[in-house]
Amino acid sequence: MKSRYRWFVAFVFFLFLLLHQADKLLIGPLTTSIMEDFQINEAQMGAVSSLAIVVASVLYPVWGYLYDRFARDRLLALASFIWGSTTWLNALAPTYPIFMLTRSTTGIDDSSYPGLYSLLADYFGPRARGKVYGAMQMSGPLGYMLGTILATALGGALGWRRVFFITGGAGIVIAALILFMVRERPRGSAEPEMESLDEIRTYHINWPAVRKLLRIRSLPLLMAQGFFGIFAWYVLVFWFFRYLEVERGYTSGQAMTTMLVAIATISIGYLLGGNLGDALFKRTRRGRIIVGGLGTLAAAILLLVTMSVPVGNQLLFTVLLGLTGLAMPMNGPSMMATVPDITPPEVRSTAQAVRKLVEDGGAALAPFLAGVVATRTSLHTAIISISVSTWLASAAILVVVGYVVPRDIQALRETMKERAARDRATTD
C-alpha cells in the first residue's frame, strides 16, 4: 500500500467528518429561523435535538457490530448517503411533527464514526494512529466554525431549508467519493506483526470475541474516564456563551470572538495531543495515557485559573481561555488510539461504539446538571464545580489505566504474533 494513498483516505475521511459536523451543528445557529417558521417554543425545539441524540445513542452498538462484520468502506458510504438524504427530507418537512420525525432520522448516521476510526487503524500502525486520530478530531471544532459561517452567510439570504439542501448535497457527494475511491483493508493489516505477510486471514466479529472484550481491564476504565471527561465539554459547549453574556457582561460580538479563540486553540490541541501521544508511546506503552492524564489535569487547573480572572480583564481571560482550549482536547486522540492498542482488530468498531455510548451518558446529563446547580448558585459556580471535579475524576481514573494498560497491550501483541505465525504457516 502506497503511503500517499493512505493519506488520501485520511483526507477523504476528514472531509466526511468536517462536513458532517458542520451539517449536524448547523441547526444551532438556524434555531431561531426554524422556530419562527413552525411557530414553536424552546421546549419543542429542544425535543427535536434530544430525539436525534437518542436515536444516535441507540444505534452505536448496531453500527459497531455491522462495521466489524461487513466491509467498512461500503458502510461508510451508506452512512454518508443517509446523512445527505435525511437532511434533504428534513429540509422538506412541511409541519413541526414531520420536522421532528425527519430530524430524528438524521441521528442514524451520527453514530457511524467507529468504523471510520477502525478502518484508519488498518491503514496506519500503532505509532502513527494518535496524530491521525487527532487530525480527524479537529473536524469537530472546525465543523462548528464552518456551520456557523454557513448559517450566518447563507441563512438569511437563502433560508434554512436551502442551507440544509446544500449540506445534504455534500453528504451525497462524499458518499460517492468514499464508494469509488476508498478501499477496504484486511483487519489487523497495519499491525507490526502482519507487515511482512503477503496474505492475511480475514477475521470478523463473533460473540466469543465480544465476550473477551470484558476481560480487557483497561477498556471499562477508558469508558469510565470518557463518561466523566465528557461532562466538562458539554457543560462548556452548552452554557459558556451564556455565562460570558450574563455573568461577565460580554456583548454577543465579544462572546463570539472569545469563543472563536477557544475553538481555534482546541483544534490545535487535538493535533498536538495526538502527536505527543505518538511520540511518548514510542518510548513507553504508558505514553498515550501520560499525555491524556496530564492534558486533563492541565485543563482543570487552567479553567480554574481562567474563571478567577476579574470581569474587567478581558484580554487576560481570553489568553487563559485559549490555553485551556489547548489542553482540553489532548486527552481525546490518546484515548481513542489506545482502544486499537488493546483490542483485536475484528472488534475495534464495537469497542469504540460502546465507549462512545457510555460517553453520551455523560453528555446527556451534563447540561441539565449544570442548569440545576446554576439556578441555586450561578453559572460560574456550576461550570467550575462540575468541570473541574469531573476532569479530576477522569485524571484519577487514568492513573489506574496507566498501571494496567501495558499488560493489555502486551496481550494484544501476543495475539497478533500467534495469528501472524498461523498465517505464515498457511501460506508456506
Short mmCIF file of all heavy atoms in Angstrom, two decimals, residues 13-41:
data_model
loop_
_atom_site.label_atom_id
_atom_site.label_comp_id
_atom_site.label_asym_id
_atom_site.label_seq_id
_atom_site.Cartn_x
_atom_site.Cartn_y
_atom_site.Cartn_z
N PHE A 13 -11.74 11.00 4.68
CA PHE A 13 -12.45 10.82 5.95
C PHE A 13 -12.53 12.13 6.73
O PHE A 13 -13.53 12.39 7.42
CB PHE A 13 -11.77 9.74 6.79
CG PHE A 13 -12.03 8.34 6.30
CD1 PHE A 13 -11.30 7.27 6.78
CD2 PHE A 13 -13.00 8.09 5.34
CE1 PHE A 13 -11.55 5.98 6.33
CE2 PHE A 13 -13.25 6.81 4.87
CZ PHE A 13 -12.52 5.75 5.37
N PHE A 14 -11.48 12.94 6.64
CA PHE A 14 -11.54 14.25 7.31
C PHE A 14 -12.63 15.12 6.69
O PHE A 14 -13.37 15.80 7.42
CB PHE A 14 -10.18 14.96 7.20
CG PHE A 14 -10.17 16.32 7.85
CD1 PHE A 14 -10.05 16.44 9.22
CD2 PHE A 14 -10.32 17.48 7.08
CE1 PHE A 14 -10.05 17.69 9.83
CE2 PHE A 14 -10.33 18.73 7.68
CZ PHE A 14 -10.19 18.84 9.05
N LEU A 15 -12.75 15.10 5.37
CA LEU A 15 -13.82 15.84 4.72
C LEU A 15 -15.19 15.35 5.17
O LEU A 15 -16.10 16.15 5.44
CB LEU A 15 -13.71 15.70 3.19
CG LEU A 15 -12.70 16.57 2.46
CD1 LEU A 15 -12.78 16.30 0.96
CD2 LEU A 15 -12.94 18.05 2.73
N PHE A 16 -15.33 14.03 5.26
CA PHE A 16 -16.58 13.45 5.73
C PHE A 16 -16.92 13.97 7.12
O PHE A 16 -18.04 14.45 7.38
CB PHE A 16 -16.46 11.92 5.75
CG PHE A 16 -17.59 11.22 6.46
CD1 PHE A 16 -18.84 11.09 5.86
CD2 PHE A 16 -17.41 10.69 7.72
CE1 PHE A 16 -19.88 10.44 6.51
CE2 PHE A 16 -18.44 10.03 8.38
CZ PHE A 16 -19.68 9.91 7.77
N LEU A 17 -15.95 13.90 8.04
CA LEU A 17 -16.19 14.34 9.41
C LEU A 17 -16.44 15.84 9.49
O LEU A 17 -17.35 16.30 10.20
CB LEU A 17 -15.00 13.97 10.30
CG LEU A 17 -14.78 12.47 10.55
CD1 LEU A 17 -13.43 12.24 11.22
CD2 LEU A 17 -15.90 11.90 11.39
N LEU A 18 -15.66 16.63 8.77
CA LEU A 18 -15.79 18.09 8.80
C LEU A 18 -17.16 18.53 8.32
O LEU A 18 -17.87 19.29 9.00
CB LEU A 18 -14.69 18.73 7.94
CG LEU A 18 -14.77 20.25 7.80
CD1 LEU A 18 -14.46 20.93 9.12
CD2 LEU A 18 -13.81 20.74 6.70
N LEU A 19 -17.56 18.05 7.15
CA LEU A 19 -18.83 18.49 6.57
C LEU A 19 -20.01 17.89 7.33
O LEU A 19 -21.07 18.52 7.44
CB LEU A 19 -18.88 18.11 5.09
CG LEU A 19 -17.83 18.81 4.22
CD1 LEU A 19 -17.87 18.28 2.79
CD2 LEU A 19 -18.05 20.32 4.22
N HIS A 20 -19.84 16.68 7.83
CA HIS A 20 -20.92 16.08 8.63
C HIS A 20 -21.12 16.84 9.93
O HIS A 20 -22.26 17.09 10.36
CB HIS A 20 -20.61 14.61 8.91
CG HIS A 20 -21.72 13.88 9.60
ND1 HIS A 20 -21.78 13.72 10.95
CD2 HIS A 20 -22.85 13.30 9.11
CE1 HIS A 20 -22.87 13.05 11.29
NE2 HIS A 20 -23.53 12.79 10.18
N GLN A 21 -20.02 17.22 10.59
CA GLN A 21 -20.13 18.01 11.81
C GLN A 21 -20.76 19.37 11.53
O GLN A 21 -21.58 19.86 12.31
CB GLN A 21 -18.75 18.20 12.44
CG GLN A 21 -18.20 16.96 13.13
CD GLN A 21 -18.99 16.59 14.37
OE1 GLN A 21 -19.30 17.43 15.21
NE2 GLN A 21 -19.33 15.32 14.49
N ALA A 22 -20.38 19.99 10.43
CA ALA A 22 -20.98 21.28 10.06
C ALA A 22 -22.48 21.13 9.86
O ALA A 22 -23.28 21.95 10.33
CB ALA A 22 -20.32 21.82 8.79
N ASP A 23 -22.89 20.07 9.16
CA ASP A 23 -24.31 19.82 8.94
C ASP A 23 -25.03 19.54 10.25
O ASP A 23 -26.13 20.05 10.50
CB ASP A 23 -24.47 18.62 8.00
CG ASP A 23 -25.91 18.21 7.80
OD1 ASP A 23 -26.59 18.86 6.99
OD2 ASP A 23 -26.35 17.24 8.45
N LYS A 24 -24.41 18.74 11.10
CA LYS A 24 -25.02 18.35 12.38
C LYS A 24 -25.20 19.55 13.31
O LYS A 24 -26.23 19.68 14.00
CB LYS A 24 -24.14 17.29 13.04
CG LYS A 24 -24.60 16.79 14.39
CD LYS A 24 -23.62 15.76 14.91
CE LYS A 24 -23.97 15.33 16.34
NZ LYS A 24 -22.98 14.34 16.85
N LEU A 25 -24.21 20.44 13.34
CA LEU A 25 -24.23 21.58 14.25
C LEU A 25 -24.88 22.82 13.65
O LEU A 25 -25.07 23.82 14.34
CB LEU A 25 -22.80 21.92 14.69
CG LEU A 25 -22.06 20.78 15.42
CD1 LEU A 25 -20.59 21.15 15.62
CD2 LEU A 25 -22.72 20.49 16.76
N LEU A 26 -25.24 22.74 12.37
CA LEU A 26 -25.83 23.88 11.67
C LEU A 26 -27.16 24.30 12.28
O LEU A 26 -27.54 25.48 12.24
CB LEU A 26 -26.04 23.51 10.20
CG LEU A 26 -26.42 24.60 9.21
CD1 LEU A 26 -25.30 25.62 9.09
CD2 LEU A 26 -26.70 23.98 7.85
N ILE A 27 -27.87 23.35 12.87
CA ILE A 27 -29.20 23.64 13.40
C ILE A 27 -29.15 24.67 14.53
O ILE A 27 -30.11 25.41 14.74
CB ILE A 27 -29.89 22.34 13.88
CG1 ILE A 27 -31.38 22.59 14.12
CG2 ILE A 27 -29.19 21.77 15.09
CD1 ILE A 27 -32.18 21.32 14.34
N GLY A 28 -28.02 24.73 15.25
CA GLY A 28 -27.90 25.69 16.34
C GLY A 28 -28.05 27.13 15.89
O GLY A 28 -28.96 27.85 16.35
N PRO A 29 -27.21 27.60 14.97
CA PRO A 29 -27.34 28.99 14.51
C PRO A 29 -28.64 29.26 13.75
O PRO A 29 -29.05 30.42 13.62
CB PRO A 29 -26.13 29.16 13.57
CG PRO A 29 -25.16 28.11 14.00
CD PRO A 29 -25.99 26.96 14.44
N LEU A 30 -29.30 28.21 13.24
CA LEU A 30 -30.54 28.40 12.48
C LEU A 30 -31.79 28.17 13.33
O LEU A 30 -32.90 28.19 12.80
CB LEU A 30 -30.57 27.43 11.28
CG LEU A 30 -29.51 27.66 10.20
CD1 LEU A 30 -29.57 26.56 9.16
CD2 LEU A 30 -29.70 29.02 9.54
N THR A 31 -31.59 27.97 14.63
CA THR A 31 -32.71 27.63 15.51
C THR A 31 -33.82 28.68 15.47
O THR A 31 -35.01 28.34 15.37
CB THR A 31 -32.21 27.45 16.95
OG1 THR A 31 -31.42 26.27 17.02
CG2 THR A 31 -33.37 27.33 17.92
N THR A 32 -33.46 29.94 15.54
CA THR A 32 -34.48 31.00 15.57
C THR A 32 -35.33 30.98 14.31
O THR A 32 -36.57 31.08 14.37
CB THR A 32 -33.82 32.38 15.74
OG1 THR A 32 -33.09 32.40 16.98
CG2 THR A 32 -34.87 33.48 15.77
N SER A 33 -34.69 30.84 13.15
CA SER A 33 -35.43 30.80 11.88
C SER A 33 -36.39 29.61 11.83
O SER A 33 -37.54 29.74 11.38
CB SER A 33 -34.46 30.73 10.71
OG SER A 33 -33.62 31.86 10.67
N ILE A 34 -35.93 28.47 12.31
CA ILE A 34 -36.77 27.27 12.29
C ILE A 34 -37.95 27.43 13.25
O ILE A 34 -39.09 27.08 12.92
CB ILE A 34 -35.92 26.03 12.67
CG1 ILE A 34 -34.85 25.78 11.60
CG2 ILE A 34 -36.80 24.79 12.85
CD1 ILE A 34 -33.83 24.74 11.98
N MET A 35 -37.70 27.98 14.44
CA MET A 35 -38.77 28.18 15.41
C MET A 35 -39.82 29.14 14.88
O MET A 35 -41.04 28.94 15.06
CB MET A 35 -38.19 28.70 16.73
CG MET A 35 -37.38 27.67 17.50
SD MET A 35 -36.59 28.35 19.00
CE MET A 35 -38.04 28.83 19.95
N GLU A 36 -39.39 30.20 14.21
CA GLU A 36 -40.34 31.16 13.64
C GLU A 36 -41.14 30.53 12.51
O GLU A 36 -42.34 30.80 12.35
CB GLU A 36 -39.59 32.39 13.14
CG GLU A 36 -39.00 33.24 14.26
CD GLU A 36 -38.15 34.38 13.73
OE1 GLU A 36 -37.88 34.40 12.49
OE2 GLU A 36 -37.73 35.24 14.53
N ASP A 37 -40.50 29.67 11.72
CA ASP A 37 -41.18 29.03 10.59
C ASP A 37 -42.31 28.12 11.07
O ASP A 37 -43.42 28.12 10.52
CB ASP A 37 -40.16 28.24 9.77
CG ASP A 37 -40.69 27.88 8.39
OD1 ASP A 37 -41.88 28.12 8.12
OD2 ASP A 37 -39.91 27.34 7.58
N PHE A 38 -42.03 27.34 12.12
CA PHE A 38 -43.03 26.38 12.60
C PHE A 38 -43.86 26.92 13.78
O PHE A 38 -44.75 26.22 14.26
CB PHE A 38 -42.33 25.08 13.03
CG PHE A 38 -41.76 24.30 11.89
CD1 PHE A 38 -40.38 24.08 11.80
CD2 PHE A 38 -42.57 23.78 10.90
CE1 PHE A 38 -39.85 23.36 10.74
CE2 PHE A 38 -42.04 23.05 9.84
CZ PHE A 38 -40.68 22.84 9.76
N GLN A 39 -43.52 28.13 14.26
CA GLN A 39 -44.23 28.73 15.39
C GLN A 39 -44.19 27.81 16.62
O GLN A 39 -45.23 27.44 17.19
CB GLN A 39 -45.68 29.05 15.00
CG GLN A 39 -45.82 30.14 13.95
CD GLN A 39 -45.31 31.49 14.45
OE1 GLN A 39 -45.84 32.05 15.41
NE2 GLN A 39 -44.29 32.03 13.78
N ILE A 40 -42.99 27.43 17.02
CA ILE A 40 -42.82 26.54 18.16
C ILE A 40 -41.99 27.23 19.24
O ILE A 40 -41.33 28.26 18.98
CB ILE A 40 -42.12 25.22 17.75
CG1 ILE A 40 -40.76 25.50 17.09
CG2 ILE A 40 -43.02 24.41 16.82
CD1 ILE A 40 -39.97 24.26 16.72
N ASN A 41 -42.02 26.68 20.47
CA ASN A 41 -41.27 27.27 21.58
C ASN A 41 -39.96 26.52 21.81
O ASN A 41 -39.64 25.55 21.11
CB ASN A 41 -42.13 27.28 22.85
CG ASN A 41 -42.60 25.88 23.25
OD1 ASN A 41 -41.91 24.89 23.03
ND2 ASN A 41 -43.78 25.80 23.85
#
